[in-house]
């Protein structure tokens, strides 16, 4: 039986391995999926990604399958409902930030034709492939994530500091940070 070599961070359990093998670092150009990752990364700020992955299905239910058009319409009763939902991270600022992000997301779509065109423009519409040999080489931020973070904030997005933005870039394949010996590494 062949054993796949993976990035060390994902060997915690099957949930992490499945996420690594099937999602992390795969280029995402679909606006619906990009919004989902934006929501999840927003709630991940200050927490572990593992915590968010375990609650992902709860977030999906709570936020109407990550339908940004619906989320942009949330009013105070929905905010209060979400604050009572034990299946998600009940942080008022992050909940309100997600609503603000849905509104800003739609505005970006209107300006650029899609959120994907906008965000992928920061990497010239193709993934940046890093040649990492050790997890100690993984950065939390880069010059591009700094620039993108500032631009997102200028457009009204919340909880999009450079670290969150870089994690989003990794998750959605804008950056390939798989270790050089990982089976998923772009060759």
């Amino acid at each position: 039986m062949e054993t796949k070599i993976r990035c060390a961070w994902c060997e915690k359990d099957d949930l992490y391995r499945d996420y690594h093998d099937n999602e992390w670092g795969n280029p995402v150009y679909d606006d619906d999926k990009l919004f989902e990752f934006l929501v999840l990364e927003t709630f991940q700020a200050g927490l572990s990604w593992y915590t968010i992955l375990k609650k992902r299905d709860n977030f999906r239910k709570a936020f109407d399958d990550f339908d940004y058009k619906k989320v942009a319409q949330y009013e105070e009763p929905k905010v209060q409902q979400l604050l009572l939902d034990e299946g998600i991270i009940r942080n008022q600022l992050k909940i309100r930030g997600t609503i603000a992000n849905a509104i800003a997301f739609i505005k970006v779509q209107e300006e650029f034709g899609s959120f994907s065109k906008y965000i992928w423009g920061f990497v010239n519409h193709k993934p940046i492939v890093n040649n990492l040999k050790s997890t100690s080489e993984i950065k939390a931020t880069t010059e591009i994530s700094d620039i993108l973070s500032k631009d997102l904030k200028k457009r009204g997005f919340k909880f999009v500091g450079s670290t969150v933005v870089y994690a989003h870039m990794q998750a959605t394949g804008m950056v390939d940070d798989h270790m050089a010996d990982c089976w998923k590494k772009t060759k």
Side-chain angles (χ1 to χ4, degrees):
M1 185 174 149
E2 184 181 342
T3 303
K4 291 180 178 176
I5 297 173
R6 294 178 176 90
C7 299
W9 64 263
C10 76
E11 292 294 359
K12 180 175 185 161
D13 67 8
D14 287 340
L15 178 66
Y16 249 15
R17 279 186 287 277
D18 182 63
Y19 172 68
H20 171 273
D21 290 358
N22 296 303
E23 291 187 85
W24 193 74
N26 292 348
V28 175
Y29 299 97
D30 176 72
D31 276 8
D32 294 339
K33 197 69 173 169
L34 287 168
F35 184 72
E36 175 180 349
F37 275 108
L38 184 63
V39 171
L40 296 174
E41 295 293 350
T42 296
F43 278 92
Q44 188 266 331
L47 302 169
S48 78
W49 183 243
Y50 188 76
T51 298
I52 301 305
L53 276 183
K54 288 193 318 187
K55 294 179 176 278
R56 188 179 197 175
D57 288 338
N58 297 333
F59 277 104
R60 184 173 284 111
K61 289 176 200 154
F63 287 94
D64 290 297
D65 289 324
F66 302 110
D67 183 333
Y68 51 86
K69 292 175 186 166
K70 288 183 180 178
V71 174
Q73 300 298 316
Y74 286 0
E75 295 182 352
E76 192 59 29
K78 179 65 174 185
V79 171
Q80 294 306 313
Q81 176 189 345
L82 290 168
L83 286 170
L84 297 174
D85 188 335
E86 294 179 7
I88 65 169
I89 307 301
R90 296 178 292 171
N91 179 303
Q92 184 169 184
L93 292 176
K94 290 179 180 182
I95 291 168
R96 292 184 190 283
T98 297
I99 298 166
N101 288 352
I103 294 166
F105 191 91
I106 292 167
K107 288 179 183 173
V108 166
Q109 285 180 318
E110 291 168 354
E111 182 177 345
F112 291 88
S114 74
F115 186 79
S116 178
K117 285 180 187 172
Y118 160 75
I119 200 165
W120 277 91
F122 286 86
V123 294
N124 296 319
H125 304 281
K126 62 181 191 247
I128 295 169
V129 179
N130 292 320
N131 189 23
L132 306 173
K133 292 172 181 56
S134 160
T135 54
S136 66
E137 295 178 272
I138 298 175
K139 298 177 181 174
T141 65
T142 64
E143 185 178 335
I144 293 172
S145 69
D146 292 345
I147 293 166
L148 178 52
S149 170
K150 286 178 187 167
D151 198 70
L152 287 165
K153 288 176 184 175
K154 182 180 79 176
R155 295 174 183 282
F157 286 85
K158 309 292 182 200
F159 289 93
V160 288
S162 190
T163 301
V164 168
V165 167
Y166 194 69
H168 187 267
M169 292 172 69
Q170 291 171 310
T172 61
M174 293 173 67
V175 176
D176 180 346
D177 271 352
H178 287 284
M179 294 294 112
D181 62 349
C182 177
W183 77 272
K184 290 232 16 204
K185 182 68 184 168
T186 302
K187 304 297 180 202

